[in-house]
Amino acid sequence: MEGRVYRSAQRMFYCKLKGESDLVMATAKGNLLKGSDSVVVGDIVEIKEEDGQHYIVEVMERKSEIWRQIKRENKKKVTASNIDLLVIVSSAAKPKYKRGLVDRFLMRSAQWEIPAIHVFNKMDGYKEKDFDLAFEAKRLEMPKVDSFEVSAKEGEEYSPQVLKKGIKDLREQLSGKTAIFLGQSGVGKSSLINRLSGGEFELKTKEIGRAGKGTHTTTWSEILDFEDFTLIDSPGIRSFSLDDVYSEDLEFLFPDLLDLFLTCQFRNCDHGPEAKGCFYNGLTDPEQIKIIDSRLESYYKLRDEVSEIPDWKKKPH
Ligand SMILES: Nc1nc2c(ncn2[C@@H]2O[C@H](COP(=O)(O)OP(=O)(O)O)[C@@H](O)[C@H]2O)c(=O)[nH]1
Ligand SMILES: [Mg+2]
Ligand SMILES: [Zn+2]
């Protein structure tokens, strides 16, 4: 039987069998027991039943993985799999829009090779004088990220004013997909998910809350199924630490900038108006310059924050 892992706790996996709605509890068998992340939430698995017990006997190849590098152990730790879309949520009112934070999530999107979209929520409270939403959306076109403007509060009553895409388009984007919502606390992720799920999210999380989720561990993650989309909820994924990224690798996580960097005359270019032979010197459009400047700003800020490659990892000369 084919199933999908919806929740895991202490080596117990709650799986949804294809075509059924209740979860069955399964344990892993054989070599699947070895690694701590050989079975994770989101996995598509082959399940066998023996004497009324369910066993996971095989994990199908993963389409995508959410992972971090554990530095101490020098290995990759996977927390969830088979995610189709990252939904980065910002607030257009309070808390204030944080460009750098969006770029940080986009860095993970590049690292995990999972496409991202961006949502400006709380549009009912948006004031043009606070920030230039049209510019921010244009800027996000550089790393090829689509933006949507919505109000979780007003739902379908709110129609987009600045951009072309609103909640209807967002629903379309999500349709049939497994998504993860990212964004700082208070931007309205829960409210938006609740709105998109027609109120089901609140009901489901209350149900799980009663069962005592989160009392024993902070690393839980689970899947919630709604009529039209699937959600992976995992607080661990929201971690902001970049200690598992090395400065040497950062440009690969800014593919839009890397494309430009590769046209510079020197590979160790300092990128900017003063750098000899830099792509930057060929720019003429003031808006494009402004956009590139702001992406470069994020890039250099993150480069100051990520780890230097440790000596033992450097190739011997
Ligand atoms: N005005 C307005 N308030 C919102 C909107 N979405 C969420 N909120 C409020 O913002 C606060 C934080 O929302 P919540 O969904 O808990 O944010 P989360 O921390 O990202 O999950 C709550 O008081 C919500 O009622 C919106 O579209 N408009
Ligand atoms: Mg929330
Ligand atoms: Zn350059």
Side-chain angles (χ1 to χ4, degrees), residues 78-253:
V78 181
T79 44
S81 72
N82 299 316
I83 287 103
D84 303 306
L85 189 66
L86 303 181
V87 182
I88 303 168
V89 185
S90 294
S91 149
K94 272 183 187 161
K96 230 174 92 189
Y97 179 70
K98 286 205 180 78
R99 196 188 264 170
L101 192 61
V102 174
D103 284 352
R104 256 172 122 102
F105 288 129
L106 290 182
M107 193 205 75
R108 292 292 183 196
S109 154
Q111 190 179 35
W112 298 331
E113 299 179 68
I114 302 174
I117 58 173
H118 179 255
V119 180
F120 293 100
N121 184 37
K122 303 201 186 185
M123 282 304 290
D124 56 282
Y126 171 62
K127 291 187 191 69
E128 216 180 310
K129 65 167 177 45
D130 291 342
F131 81 113
D132 187 348
L133 187 135
F135 173 78
E136 297 303 333
K138 185 97 203 291
R139 173 184 185 275
L140 289 173
E141 286 174 13
M142 189 177 158
K144 301 196 173 61
V145 174
D146 263 348
S147 292
F148 298 77
E149 60 167 278
V150 307
S151 161
K153 188 177 166 200
E154 295 179 3
E156 326 285 326
E157 315 259 280
Y158 178 85
S159 8
Q161 317 276 313
V162 189
L163 310 173
K164 288 196 190 77
K165 293 173 181 162
I167 195 157
K168 269 200 216 88
D169 308 276
L170 179 57
R171 278 185 197 286
E172 242 167 67
Q173 266 295 310
L174 281 170
S175 176
K177 292 189 179 133
T178 298
I180 284 189
F181 284 62
L182 300 166
Q184 66 170 314
S185 164
V187 295
K189 294 179 296 300
S190 301
S191 313
L192 181 60
I193 293 164
N194 200 43
R195 171 66 70 177
L196 291 164
S197 69
E200 260 191 276
F201 177 66
E202 230 166 59
L203 292 174
K204 283 195 181 177
T205 41
K206 268 188 201 138
E207 235 169 71
I208 294 162
R210 266 206 306 274
K213 175 193 72 180
T215 52
H216 56 290
T217 168
T218 53
T219 55
W220 61 273
S221 56
E222 66 179 337
I223 295 190
L224 297 170
D225 250 344
F226 303 114
E227 206 163 298
D228 204 33
F229 67 101
T230 299
L231 173 80
I232 295 200
D233 204 1
S234 172
I237 292 163
R238 284 165 223 152
S239 159
F240 293 159
S241 161
L242 293 178
D243 67 351
D244 66 332
V245 178
Y246 296 116
S247 54
E248 285 78 0
D249 300 330
L250 194 62
E251 60 182 12
F252 296 99
L253 305 179

